[in-house]
Amino acid sequence: MLHIKNLRVDIEDKIILNGLDLDIKAGEVHAIMGPNGVGKSTLAKVISAHPDYEVKSGEITYKNKNLLELDVAQRAMEGIFLAFQNPIEILGVNNMYFLKQAFNAKCKYTGIEEMTSLDFLKLVKAKIKSLGITADFLKRDLNAGFSGGEKKLNEMLQMSILEPKLFLLDEIDSGLDVDALKSVAQGVNSMLSKERSVLLITHHKHLLEYIKPDFVHILYDGKIIQSGDIHLAKEIEKNGYSIVKDLRSAS
Amino acid sequence: MGANKNIIDVLENEYSLGFTTNIESDTIEKGLNKNVIKFISAKKDEPSWMLDKRNKSFDIWQKMQEPHWSSIVHPKIDYQNISYFSAPKQKLDSMDDVEPELLKTYEKLGIPLEEQKMLAGVAVDAVFDSVSIKTTFEKQLGDLGIIFCSISDAIKNHRKLVEKYLFSVVPMSDNYFAALNAAVFTDGTFVYIPKGVRCPMELSTYFRINAIGTGQFERTLIIADEGSYVSYNEGCSAPSRDENQLHAAVVELIALKDAQINYSTIQNWYPGDENGKGGIYNFVTKRGICKGDNSKISWTQVETGSAITWKYPSCILAGDNSVGEFYSVAITTKAQQADTGSKMIHIGKNTKSTIISKGISALKGLNAYRGLVKVGSKAKNARNFTQCDSLIIGPNARAHTFPYINVHNSSANIEHEATTSKISDEQLFYLMQRGLSEEDAVSMIVNGFCKEVLGKLPMEFAVEARALLNVTLEGSVG
């Protein structure tokens, strides 16, 4: 589904990613781990075309398309969804209205007929019920005054409505208590399928107890320096990222 | 960023109402003197008392100086290089006499004047250059005792009301442009709502400047008698021309005991191009007086057009428990300049006022909020809440806020809140990551920013205002 080859990304002349390779097949769950500031979030933002990052060289293909030729909205339409670490607040924009506009944009792009407001409301109500969200959520302004947990749940709600193919989950565990984390993880797990893939960014193993990865990668020094399965995450939990530095000096 | 260029392209889009109507006009030669005033008065078939007032105003105006205290910068206006009267040549006695070309103009503007196509629930007065073309539903309203006609007709037919109230809120000596208007005003709308009558439909005036080299100087007078209610709306547009055209209007509102007036404006005069060439100079004096106890005046404005906007719709809260409100969205893009806000003058006891101002500046736009809250010594328990928010789009846009607060009674409660924000790349990225185009994302943020004000407009006008915001600002991050 997603192939990244020898990717180099700069921000304001600083090299963030350099020589990064990653392959994600349909139905796979990949976790990217690494200490703070190594460019984990950068990777998620580059895949979704954030304007601050400049791809200097390398390739990203997604469903056999050259992703670098598509803009933010086009990539979103093609099924790439970034669940933000800090979802932004937008005053005056009603949450439900926003959902409908985003949903309509997707319908237009894929050539599906738009839903009536009533049918859409039914759909959303079913989704919020399964996510354990209260209905007043829909009446509020987009993320405005939401708690950390509510913001993440709102991301899950959007994801469940827009039904993307590739989930980029950027530290969705940050700032959540155990209950909120469980709800969010449950939201993600309920959407997993053979056609959908996940790129999970975290620096705690904790999240991986709730969303089970098929692969765990360690990002350091701009590239993936080690890949494995859940055992790799466990090792990091035990020994910290110091092992990464050892690996690096050994290489 | 490539995306921003697209936005600027869209922003610099064409003004869609910039067409010209080819119609034969009676336009007097440029210049201003007592002969011109006499000519206007004669054209309007006015009684002599009106001509006397015009002449007095002209004398006052001649002794005054053009004001330059606002943030607006403009080349010197040559008042002798303007034609002060222009009217379609043909005389109009009934609808059948209105030239098809004129009807087409209003149709293009979305305002049908023909009986069979009239907007349900909205009575319209259409002012083309210097004259009122057609007032709809005049008869139906007349059955309730409501007077809705051109100010010219009112001067002839409703002398008592006009003499009592005209110049009573905005005196001829009020300011430079008000004095000019008093001398040369050509038409406008007159509304009188009798005691205890709730006007059953929206009243609306549509102003159109068409002729070249002319100014438009309309005068509107609305009187809501005791216990009455009226909602009034005005819209404006003009052809795209390279020269600047002057628009200096005056609006006076009078709300008597227990009466309420809601006054909404959608101002979309031609804004000029991105280099500041052309566009309307809009110098307007709007003021209402809550004369009676428990009366209320509410101003709502959406200002998207004009090269220059200079206007401060105000309320004099004379009656006890009276309420004044001002809700404003002002957008300046290209090279537009707006200096706008409100004045709330608290005189009566327990008077209350609210000012909500939303300024949006994009490209090289300048947007200044200027407001005065004044509480007199007898205005016990006066309350004001002011909120002015500025949204800046792009590196060259500017926003200023000038709040003046002047309180002479210690029981007053005045609150002032102000914010300045930018549309951030992060906000746009978030919305676009959900599949919205950049234009839709900007429009969503701007509409959200203006929501409180747009919500105050009557339904039909809110739809028009939203569409206008989108056209004016479609995508605008620099």
Side-chain angles (χ1 to χ4, degrees):
Chain A
M1 179 176 275
L2 183 78
H3 304 284
I4 302 178
K5 214 172 130 187
N6 203 19
L7 186 69
R8 178 174 152 191
V9 174
D10 292 10
I11 178 167
E12 288 169 359
D13 299 330
K14 201 177 146 209
I15 301 171
I16 309 285
L17 300 177
N18 198 3
L20 185 134
D21 297 309
L22 182 65
D23 257 320
I24 299 179
K25 294 193 176 64
E28 292 178 349
V29 177
H30 290 243
I32 302 265
M33 300 183 74
N36 283 328
V38 293
K40 300 191 300 295
S41 293
T42 298
L43 179 61
K45 285 181 177 166
V46 166
I47 296 170
S48 42
H50 191 288
D52 285 355
Y53 301 92
E54 193 185 347
V55 174
K56 284 285 187 187
S57 60
E59 290 169 21
I60 308 180
T61 57
Y62 167 76
K63 295 201 279 187
N64 301 320
K65 284 181 189 154
N66 179 1
L67 205 57
L68 298 176
E69 286 174 353
L70 305 182
D71 70 16
V72 187
Q74 286 166 329
R75 292 186 200 190
M77 296 296 190
E78 287 292 331
I80 294 176
F81 184 98
L82 172 60
F84 287 71
Q85 185 178 355
N86 298 307
I88 203 128
E89 302 191 3
I90 303 182
L91 287 172
V93 174
N94 173 271
N95 210 16
M96 180 69 182
Y97 173 74
F98 166 67
L99 271 180
K100 182 88 164 66
Q101 294 304 110
F103 183 77
N104 286 352
K106 192 194 146 201
C107 289
K108 203 173 154 195
Y109 187 82
T110 48
I112 305 167
E113 208 178 318
E114 283 178 17
M115 271 189 196
T116 65
S117 293
L118 197 65
D119 287 344
F120 186 70
L121 185 65
K122 277 186 200 156
L123 172 73
V124 173
K125 286 212 162 149
K127 298 290 184 191
I128 61 171
K129 203 174 164 197
S130 71
L131 284 166
I133 300 173
T134 51
D136 78 300
F137 227 71
L138 303 173
K139 293 183 193 146
R140 293 156 70 179
D141 285 354
L142 182 52
N143 295 326
F146 282 38
S147 70
E150 286 176 328
K151 281 184 181 170
K152 299 294 163 67
L153 279 173
N154 206 22
E155 296 290 282
M156 292 306 110
L157 174 61
Q158 293 167 20
M159 198 158 93
S160 69
I161 296 289
L162 297 173
E163 302 192 314
K165 291 290 185 291
L166 175 62
F167 308 170
L168 308 171
L169 309 179
D170 187 7
E171 308 213 5
I172 53 165
D173 50 336
S174 70
L176 297 193
D177 60 32
V178 180
D179 290 337
L181 180 60
K182 276 184 186 164
S183 310
V184 167
Q186 202 183 348
V188 173
N189 288 328
S190 70
M191 281 178 261
L192 293 180
S193 78
K194 272 189 284 186
E195 288 88 42
R196 293 187 176 141
S197 311
V198 180
L199 180 65
L200 198 62
I201 287 161
T202 181
H203 51 256
H204 295 297
K205 189 182 104 332
H206 199 49
L207 178 66
L208 305 183
E209 286 164 19
Y210 298 99
I211 304 171
K212 306 272 186 227
D214 302 306
F215 301 92
V216 175
H217 309 279
I218 309 296
L219 180 65
Y220 195 81
D221 214 13
K223 62 182 107 171
I224 286 166
I225 55 163
Q226 196 174 357
S227 299
D229 57 16
I230 188 73
H231 294 95
L232 182 58
K234 284 180 179 157
E235 206 175 317
I236 285 164
E237 178 90 337
K238 215 164 90 193
N239 300 318
Y241 285 107
S242 57
I243 60 153
V244 169
K245 284 170 198 155
D246 298 342
L247 281 167
R248 189 177 148 235
S249 48
S251 66
Chain B
M1 278 183 278
N4 293 336
K5 198 186 161 302
N6 294 342
I7 281 205
I8 286 166
D9 288 347
V10 183
L11 240 186
E12 288 170 346
N13 64 356
E14 292 286 307
Y15 176 73
S16 66
L17 303 177
F19 60 88
T20 311
T21 307
N22 290 318
I23 193 158
E24 268 198 279
S25 292
D26 241 345
T27 304
I28 58 161
E29 276 177 33
K30 290 176 176 176
L32 182 55
N33 52 52
K34 287 215 168 150
N35 282 334
V36 168
I37 290 168
K38 203 171 154 191
F39 173 87
I40 293 171
S41 192
K43 271 275 174 197
K44 298 270 150 194
D45 201 11
E46 282 176 357
S48 61
W49 62 268
M50 194 65 237
L51 178 61
D52 293 344
K53 289 206 189 274
R54 288 180 182 275
N55 280 325
K56 194 175 154 201
S57 302
F58 181 70
D59 292 338
I60 292 170
W61 178 71
Q62 278 193 308
K63 292 189 196 100
M64 294 173 103
Q65 297 291 320
E66 193 181 78
H68 286 282
W69 42 259
S70 76
S71 321
I72 287 164
V73 180
H74 60 85
K76 211 173 147 39
I77 300 170
D78 182 356
Y79 293 89
Q80 296 303 331
N81 193 31
I82 294 171
S83 164
Y84 287 84
F85 187 84
S86 175
K89 229 169 199 165
Q90 191 194 24
K91 242 184 127 27
L92 307 167
D93 290 323
S94 82
M95 197 60 202
D96 301 334
D97 293 343
V98 179
E99 268 194 54
E101 197 63 24
L102 260 181
L103 290 180
K104 263 193 247 159
T105 299
Y106 282 91
E107 198 110 323
K108 268 198 228 175
L109 298 168
I111 307 160
L113 298 177
E114 291 156 276
E115 303 283 348
Q116 65 273 25
K117 291 186 192 160
M118 279 180 198
L119 300 170
V122 182
V124 178
D125 181 16
V127 177
F128 192 83
D129 289 334
S130 302
V131 292
S132 174
I133 298 298
K134 164 80 182 155
T135 308
T136 61
F137 290 107
E138 215 171 325
K139 194 184 164 298
Q140 287 92 323
L141 293 168
D143 292 344
L144 291 166
I146 295 171
I147 306 168
F148 177 48
C149 63
S150 70
I151 193 100
S152 311
D153 284 350
I155 289 167
K156 281 180 276 185
N157 306 328
H158 306 285
R159 175 173 175 171
K160 258 176 99 177
L161 284 169
V162 174
E163 260 199 308
K164 183 168 178 190
Y165 291 110
L166 194 70
F167 307 117
S168 74
V169 193
V170 180
M172 41 186 89
S173 58
D174 189 79
N175 68 69
Y176 188 79
F177 296 104
L180 176 64
N181 174 286
V184 302
F185 75 92
T186 43
D187 222 324
T189 305
F190 176 81
V191 176
Y192 171 76
I193 313 290
K195 267 186 198 171
V197 171
R198 193 181 165 89
C199 184
M201 57 177 84
E202 298 284 334
L203 300 185
S204 182
T205 301
Y206 202 89
F207 297 100
R208 174 81 180 166
I209 297 178
N210 187 63
I212 200 156
T214 59
Q216 191 173 44
F217 307 92
E218 82 269 2
R219 193 151 190 126
T220 296
L221 176 60
I222 299 178
I223 304 150
D225 212 329
E226 291 182 9
S228 69
Y229 166 89
V230 64
S231 173
Y232 176 88
N233 315 280
E234 61 174 357
C236 339
S237 67
S240 311
R241 296 194 193 285
D242 285 348
E243 58 170 317
N244 296 111
Q245 283 179 286
L246 180 63
H247 173 255
V250 172
V251 175
E252 295 175 282
L253 310 182
I254 295 109
L256 300 181
K257 192 167 171 271
D258 300 319
Q260 182 176 346
I261 303 174
N262 293 349
Y263 191 107
S264 310
T265 304
I266 295 182
Q267 185 265 110
N268 186 25
W269 297 118
Y270 176 57
D273 70 9
E274 57 274 28
N275 300 314
K277 195 169 187 193
I280 301 291
Y281 286 176
N282 192 32
F283 292 94
V284 173
T285 306
K286 290 184 166 173
R287 194 175 302 150
I289 182 165
C290 286
K291 221 175 159 78
D293 293 351
N294 313 313
S295 55
K296 180 175 173 182
I297 289 178
S298 184
W299 298 99
T300 306
Q301 60 173 27
V302 175
E303 305 279 323
T304 61
S306 294
I308 288 174
T309 299
W310 180 99
K311 76 182 251 201
Y312 316 91
S314 308
C315 298
I316 300 168
L317 303 171
D320 290 348
N321 313 312
S322 60
V323 177
E325 294 174 340
F326 173 74
Y327 300 97
S328 170
V329 170
I331 297 184
T332 51
T333 177
K334 295 178 180 156
Q336 287 175 277
Q337 308 176 61
D339 195 294
T340 184
S342 181
K343 286 192 275 185
M344 293 292 174
I345 316 292
H346 294 256
I347 298 170
K349 292 187 192 79
N350 305 315
T351 45
K352 221 169 92 180
S353 62
T354 305
I355 296 175
I356 309 281
S357 164
K358 306 276 180 177
I360 301 161
S361 346
L363 298 179
K364 288 183 281 176
L366 166 73
N367 214 316
Y369 166 81
R370 190 180 301 275
L372 168 69
V373 176
K374 188 173 176 177
V375 177
S377 56
K378 288 177 186 150
K380 219 177 146 195
N381 296 325
R383 273 158 57 194
N384 165 266
F385 175 75
T386 299
Q387 183 184 332
C388 43
D389 299 326
S390 306
L391 186 68
I392 298 175
I393 305 175
N396 301 318
R398 289 172 295 160
H400 303 301
T401 305
F402 305 102
Y404 304 89
I405 297 171
N406 188 341
V407 178
H408 297 277
N409 188 308
S410 59
S411 65
N413 185 341
I414 311 288
E415 282 177 73
H416 180 92
E417 288 178 11
T419 64
T420 301
S421 52
K422 287 190 165 198
I423 289 189
S424 70
D425 283 348
E426 292 304 321
Q427 284 178 324
L428 281 180
F429 178 65
Y430 186 80
L431 296 178
M432 290 171 72
Q433 213 298 310
R434 299 303 182 247
L436 299 181
S437 67
E438 191 161 25
E439 287 77 17
D440 289 347
V442 170
S443 145
M444 187 177 271
I445 294 167
V446 168
N447 272 287
F449 177 76
C450 303
K451 192 165 137 187
E452 278 169 281
V453 174
L454 297 180
K456 295 287 168 187
L457 289 169
M459 186 74 95
E460 304 84 1
F461 296 85
V463 172
E464 187 187 336
R466 273 200 191 91
L468 194 55
L469 281 186
N470 293 350
V471 173
T472 313
L473 267 181
E474 258 173 350
S476 42
V477 174

